Amino acid sequence: MRWFSPRSLDSRAKSDGSPVTEADRAAEEFLRLELARRYPDDAVLGEEYGSVEGSSGRRWVIDPIDGTRSFVRGVPLFTTLLAMIDEAGPAVGVANVPPLEETVAAGRGLGAEHTYAGEVRVARVSTVGRLDESYLVTSGIEYLPERGRRLLLEPGPLVRTWGDGYGYVLLATGRAEIMLDAGLALWDVAPMLVIVAEAGGSITDYDGTPFPQAGDVVSTNGHVHDAVVGLLGRHT
């Protein structure tokens, strides 16, 4: 938050064309130092500084700012993402929204909790079961493959572009029913594999295969998941 301001900030482009700021690097450095202090035998993978091997069988995955394009434009809907993966798979997922003082955190088999302005509640997806009553959020039309773009034109869900990690926060707390994403890396999706599942939702690739580790991902409240995957399948 020392670097965040409701105006455009300076950034440089990474090799893939996405922006990176001093705040991205500082946030990841901070998390790496804390993890090394608390769990020195664990491996760490981060978007900005790569991988450090460990011996414990656990690996922490860091996305210091998911939604850097929002961050640099002064939009407060960016998140810091953290996950822990053990020998049984994704075990911990955290999505923190610093400007809103909002966090969704989940542990495998332990449920999910939503912290907002100091108040902690159970995080739970909505019970909406109809596409025409659903909110669909996405990180941006330009990221989606053709089948994803066509889904946005289907009659039914109300489409909004409150995306990146914040879209999953909305889904896990019942404020949206569908999060449509694409081109994800492990650090983008690993926390969501725990958060969405523990909040009662479903997360798969566009073909309905559960627990995707990267690529094109769709998450829902579970009640509309089959219908959404069916629509995506029409566009293959």
Side-chain angles (χ1 to χ4, degrees), residues 101-186:
E101 298 183 14
E102 185 170 10
T103 302
V104 174
R108 186 178 60 220
L110 300 174
E113 65 179 30
H114 178 215
T115 303
Y116 181 69
E119 183 178 357
V120 182
R121 297 182 178 180
V122 172
R124 200 69 186 168
V125 297
S126 79
T127 58
V128 172
R130 293 168 53 101
L131 287 179
D132 61 0
E133 296 176 354
S134 299
Y135 271 42
L136 185 157
V137 294
T138 184
S139 297
I141 296 172
E142 71 276 15
Y143 300 112
L144 299 175
E146 186 62 26
R147 64 196 290 198
R149 296 185 189 188
R150 290 179 179 172
L151 174 64
L152 302 185
L153 301 178
E154 291 283 345
L158 181 64
V159 176
R160 293 291 181 266
T161 53
W162 301 313
D164 300 307
Y166 185 63
Y168 294 92
V169 170
L170 294 176
L171 173 71
T173 54
R175 292 174 283 174
E177 284 68 49
I178 305 160
M179 173 61 188
L180 189 65
D181 227 336
L184 302 186
L186 179 61

Side-chain angles (χ1 to χ4, degrees), residues 39-228:
Y39 310 107
D41 297 326
D42 290 4
V44 179
L45 170 67
E47 181 177 11
E48 305 304 333
Y49 290 109
S51 182
V52 173
E53 297 304 313
S55 59
S56 68
R58 294 185 300 267
R59 178 168 59 156
W60 294 87
V61 183
I62 304 168
D63 189 342
I65 300 180
D66 189 57
T68 303
R69 294 181 190 276
S70 294
F71 179 86
V72 300
R73 292 297 297 268
V75 177
L77 304 182
F78 59 89
T79 57
T80 294
L81 304 180
L82 182 65
M84 191 271 281
I85 301 172
D86 62 18
E87 295 172 348
V92 173
V94 181
N96 174 243
V97 194
L100 305 185
E101 298 183 14
E102 185 170 10
T103 302
V104 174
R108 186 178 60 220
L110 300 174
E113 65 179 30
H114 178 215
T115 303
Y116 181 69
E119 183 178 357
V120 182
R121 297 182 178 180
V122 172
R124 200 69 186 168
V125 297
S126 79
T127 58
V128 172
R130 293 168 53 101
L131 287 179
D132 61 0
E133 296 176 354
S134 299
Y135 271 42
L136 185 157
V137 294
T138 184
S139 297
I141 296 172
E142 71 276 15
Y143 300 112
L144 299 175
E146 186 62 26
R147 64 196 290 198
R149 296 185 189 188
R150 290 179 179 172
L151 174 64
L152 302 185
L153 301 178
E154 291 283 345
L158 181 64
V159 176
R160 293 291 181 266
T161 53
W162 301 313
D164 300 307
Y166 185 63
Y168 294 92
V169 170
L170 294 176
L171 173 71
T173 54
R175 292 174 283 174
E177 284 68 49
I178 305 160
M179 173 61 188
L180 189 65
D181 227 336
L184 302 186
L186 179 61
W187 45 76
D188 299 306
V189 72
M192 310 316 176
L193 298 177
V194 188
I195 289 171
V196 173
E198 292 297 324
S202 299
I203 180 167
T204 70
D205 66 16
Y206 284 12
D207 297 316
T209 303
F211 298 106
Q213 300 295 299
D216 301 339
V217 174
V218 59
S219 303
T220 75
N221 66 350
H223 302 289
V224 298
H225 200 83
D226 289 345
V228 172

